[in-house]
Amino acid sequence: MSERLKIYFASDQHLGAPTTEASFPREKKFVAWLDEIKHDADIIFLLGDLFDFWFEYKTVVPKGFVRVLGKLAEIRDSGTPIYFFTGNHDLWMHDYFEKELNISVYHKPKEFTFNNKTFLIGHGDGLGPGDKGYKRMKKVFTNPFSKWLFRWLHPDLGVRLAQYLSVKNKLISGDADVKFLGEENEWLVLYSKRKLEKKHYDFFVFGHRHLPMTIDLGKNSTYINLGDWIGYFTYGVFDGEKFELKEYKN
């Protein structure tokens, strides 16, 4: 008999964009969603870009977002596992979530199995063919020397500069085109199909594209993109058998 589960997935809240004040209503809406699902969630997956910019200095993190951080702490303290995958806007996350919130943090896609259903889960940036400009940029951002140099900037200057680039530079953002490209051109779909050539997965779950999508890949495999919490307010739910995309209407 299949175990009844409630596993929730959400991605791309981009809190802080275009400004902290402008994103405050979205933060409250996301916190309200977390407050609703905490009663029946067995696991919560957050697939990156929770913040529009995040950098952890040795003793400093960006200020703000206390409501969402407090709600995540409350849910985690209650015993519900939360798994966080870094995105292209919070790829400089280190161990703050793990030490302060006891939330597991992953920097690349990871396999999970629930009810004999196999998942490949990640943010989605830099995967598959194409996106070469961002891939080159990501190598610079993740280079230890680059991170060391950035740490020498005063946080007031470093955070302000990074926030400006995050909003203005589409190459960094990775969202220059959020229109559906067609199944044959969606690079995360192509990535998923290539993975299927070597191993079966029932579900591929990603964010990053800001478009809610569910695409049948054949052979009982499905690609899901979670959309975002900017224009769509969509999230995923796996109940032990099926995966659904839903819109949160508060």
Side-chain angles (χ1 to χ4, degrees):
M1 181 178 293
S2 297
E3 181 185 357
R4 299 303 295 176
L5 294 171
K6 270 294 183 72
I7 302 177
Y8 290 90
F9 302 77
S11 181
D12 292 275
Q13 292 77 21
H14 288 268
L15 301 180
T19 65
T20 300
E21 293 77 16
S23 75
F24 183 57
R26 292 191 285 111
E27 180 180 4
K28 291 199 295 183
K29 188 168 184 175
F30 183 62
V31 168
W33 175 74
L34 289 171
D35 203 44
E36 284 190 17
I37 69 169
K38 70 181 182 181
H39 301 291
D40 67 354
D42 293 294
I43 303 172
I44 298 173
F45 282 90
L46 301 178
L47 301 195
D49 288 356
L50 175 62
F51 311 107
D52 201 60
F53 170 73
W54 183 270
F55 186 87
E56 294 177 21
Y57 294 84
K58 188 174 182 180
T59 57
V60 176
V61 296
K63 74 175 184 179
F65 319 116
V66 294
R67 289 163 182 81
V68 69
L69 292 173
K71 183 56 63 177
L72 291 175
E74 173 196 333
I75 294 172
R76 187 66 193 95
D77 287 348
S78 73
T80 302
I82 301 176
Y83 301 132
F84 187 93
F85 287 79
T86 58
N88 46 305
H89 284 254
D90 40 31
L91 54 82
W92 277 342
M93 185 172 287
H94 185 44
D95 60 4
Y96 181 80
F97 268 38
E98 292 178 331
K99 289 184 176 180
E100 295 295 326
L101 305 177
N102 195 25
I103 291 175
S104 299
V105 175
Y106 303 99
H107 297 271
K108 58 183 180 180
K110 182 175 174 59
E111 298 179 14
F112 293 85
T113 300
F114 305 110
N115 263 13
N116 296 318
K117 303 288 187 181
T118 54
F119 290 71
L120 187 62
I121 299 171
H123 180 65
D125 59 310
L127 300 179
D131 212 10
K132 294 181 179 179
Y134 169 70
K135 288 177 181 177
R136 289 192 293 268
M137 189 73 76
K138 185 175 182 178
K139 288 183 179 180
V140 175
F141 288 164
T142 56
N143 183 279
F145 183 65
S146 299
K147 291 189 285 185
W148 179 82
L149 284 177
F150 191 84
R151 287 182 188 279
W152 281 99
L153 292 175
H154 188 281
D156 287 348
L157 176 60
V159 171
R160 182 176 298 178
L161 173 63
Q163 287 174 333
Y164 173 82
L165 293 174
S166 180
V167 171
K168 297 296 183 181
N169 193 316
K170 295 301 183 182
L171 186 62
I172 294 174
S173 299
D175 60 356
D177 183 1
V178 294
K179 297 179 180 179
F180 180 60
L181 303 177
E183 184 176 335
E184 67 281 0
N185 295 315
E186 284 287 341
W187 37 268
L188 278 172
V189 174
L190 298 176
Y191 169 82
S192 300
K193 289 181 176 179
R194 289 182 181 180
K195 297 295 286 187
L196 282 174
E197 294 175 0
K198 298 181 179 180
K199 182 177 180 178
H200 176 76
Y201 295 94
D202 294 283
F203 300 102
F204 295 86
V205 187
F206 295 106
H208 186 57
R209 283 289 283 121
H210 289 233
L211 289 172
M213 290 183 269
T214 301
I215 295 176
D216 182 9
L217 302 177
K219 299 180 180 179
N220 296 316
S221 183
T222 305
Y223 162 81
I224 298 111
N225 196 283
L226 296 172
D228 66 21
W229 283 72
I230 299 173
Y232 293 102
F233 302 97
T234 44
Y235 62 96
V237 185
F238 177 66
D239 67 359
E241 290 294 335
K242 64 181 183 297
F243 193 109
E244 291 184 286
L245 276 182
K246 298 184 178 182
E247 179 185 356
Y248 182 62
K249 298 179 180 180
N250 183 6

